Amino acid sequence: MTQVISENRHLAGARNAQSKEACMKLYDEWAASYNTDLADASQNYMAPILTAQTAIQATISNEKPPTILDAGCGTGLVGEALAKAGFAMAIDGADLSPPMLKIAEDTGVYRNLMLADLTQPLSAPDETYDIITCCGTFTRGHVGPDPALREFVRLLKKGGVIVATVLQEIWVTGGYKAEVEKLAAEGLASVVSAEVKDYRKGAGDKATFLVLRKTSS
Ligand SMILES: C[S@@+](CC[C@H](N)C(=O)[O-])C[C@H]1O[C@@H](n2cnc3c(N)ncnc32)[C@H](O)[C@@H]1O
C-alpha cells in the first residue's frame, strides 16, 4: 500500500526560510490557521503530545511544581498538552513570532510569554528552570544547535532536563548531535535518551526526541 504524503504549504516555506526574518514572517502569516492545519489527519503532528509526555516522565519528583520554559512555544500546543495531562507547573513560553505568542496567550496555560530569538543568548538568569521543552523548532530554516542548547543548559537548575525534538534529517548534518556530545564531554549535561520517533506522521517526518539532563551548576 502506498502512503499518501501530504506537505503543508506554510511548513514547507518555513523549512526553506533563508533568514530569521523570512521564517518569522511566515509564522506571522500562518499563526491563525496553524493549529487546525497541523491537527489535520494528513499532518498528524504528534510531536507536542510526545514532548509533553516525555517531559512528565523525565521530571524528578519534587515537592514544588516544576518551572518550565517552552522554547519556540508557537501557539502553545506543548503547554496545552502538559495542562491536559494535569501536570501542575508554572510554564513560560518564548517565541520569535508575536501572532504565534498571542494564540499561546489565549490558551491561558502560560504564566509569562516572551518575545525571544533562540539564535541569540537569552536574557533569563542562570538556573531559572526545572524543564525546558523545545518542540518543532530545531528544524530546517529555524534554530541551530549553537548557542541554543548551551543556553538551555545555562537556564536549567542542576538536575533539570531539556526535552527537544530535532528533525531527524538534520540531527547529524545540522550539528545537533555534535553539540550534545560537546556539552557531555565538558561535563555540563548527560544524555538520558535520544530516540527516533514519528513526529509529523502524516508527512512521514521523524525526529530525534532528545532528553538531556544538566549535571553541573
Ligand atoms: C513548527 S513551530 C513549533 C511551535 C510549537 N512548539 C509546536 O510544536 O507547535 C516552530 C516555532 O519556532 C519559532 N521560531 C522560529 N525561529 C525562531 C527563533 N529564531 N527564535 C524563537 N522562535 C523561533 C516559530 O515562530 C514557530 O512558532
Side-chain angles (χ1 to χ4, degrees):
M1 199 170 76
T2 318
Q3 190 191 4
V4 179
I5 302 290
S6 171
E7 196 47 276
N8 174 275
R9 178 174 63 86
H10 286 109
L11 186 56
R15 285 187 179 174
N16 290 321
Q18 299 297 311
S19 68
K20 189 166 55 189
E21 291 72 23
C23 183
M24 183 177 159
K25 183 168 182 289
L26 221 132
Y27 278 102
D28 288 357
E29 290 166 5
W30 189 13
S33 63
Y34 178 91
N35 285 0
T36 42
D37 282 1
L38 289 186
D40 188 287
S42 71
Q43 297 296 309
N44 200 355
Y45 182 47
M46 51 212 300
I49 290 177
L50 287 178
T51 299
Q53 285 170 349
T54 308
I56 292 167
Q57 282 159 12
T59 305
I60 296 172
S61 65
N62 221 323
E63 59 299 345
K64 282 203 282 180
T67 51
I68 304 179
L69 174 66
D70 186 17
C73 62
T75 57
L77 295 177
V78 172
E80 285 193 296
L82 286 166
K84 271 193 196 127
F87 194 53
M89 65 200 165
I91 181 164
D92 295 339
D95 201 277
L96 188 64
S97 163
M100 295 290 274
L101 283 167
K102 174 72 187 82
I103 294 172
E105 186 181 11
D106 293 344
T107 65
V109 303
Y110 290 89
R111 177 179 67 174
N112 295 311
L113 286 158
M114 300 163 271
L115 195 59
D117 179 1
L118 299 175
T119 67
Q120 302 296 321
L122 300 168
S123 60
D126 296 0
E127 311 213 346
T128 301
Y129 294 103
D130 297 294
I131 303 171
I132 297 180
T133 55
C134 185
C135 176
T137 302
F138 288 139
T139 182
R140 281 195 282 116
H142 288 54
V143 176
D146 179 25
L149 283 168
R150 190 170 290 269
E151 274 295 277
F152 292 173
V153 170
R154 179 183 72 74
L155 295 183
L156 280 177
K157 296 174 192 165
K158 187 177 176 191
V161 286
I162 297 167
V163 178
T165 67
V166 181
L167 190 67
Q168 180 54 17
E169 65 196 52
I170 58 166
W171 167 243
V172 175
T173 57
Y176 299 88
K177 181 171 184 279
E179 182 64 10
V180 165
E181 286 168 356
K182 206 165 154 191
L183 291 165
E186 290 175 32
L188 296 174
S190 67
V191 177
V192 176
S193 57
E195 290 176 37
V196 177
K197 295 184 187 171
D198 284 324
Y199 163 84
R200 196 169 50 111
K201 208 171 178 182
D205 271 350
K206 290 191 183 295
T208 297
F209 281 72
L210 171 69
V211 181
L212 195 63
R213 190 174 298 283
K214 179 167 180 166
T215 45
S216 73
S217 0

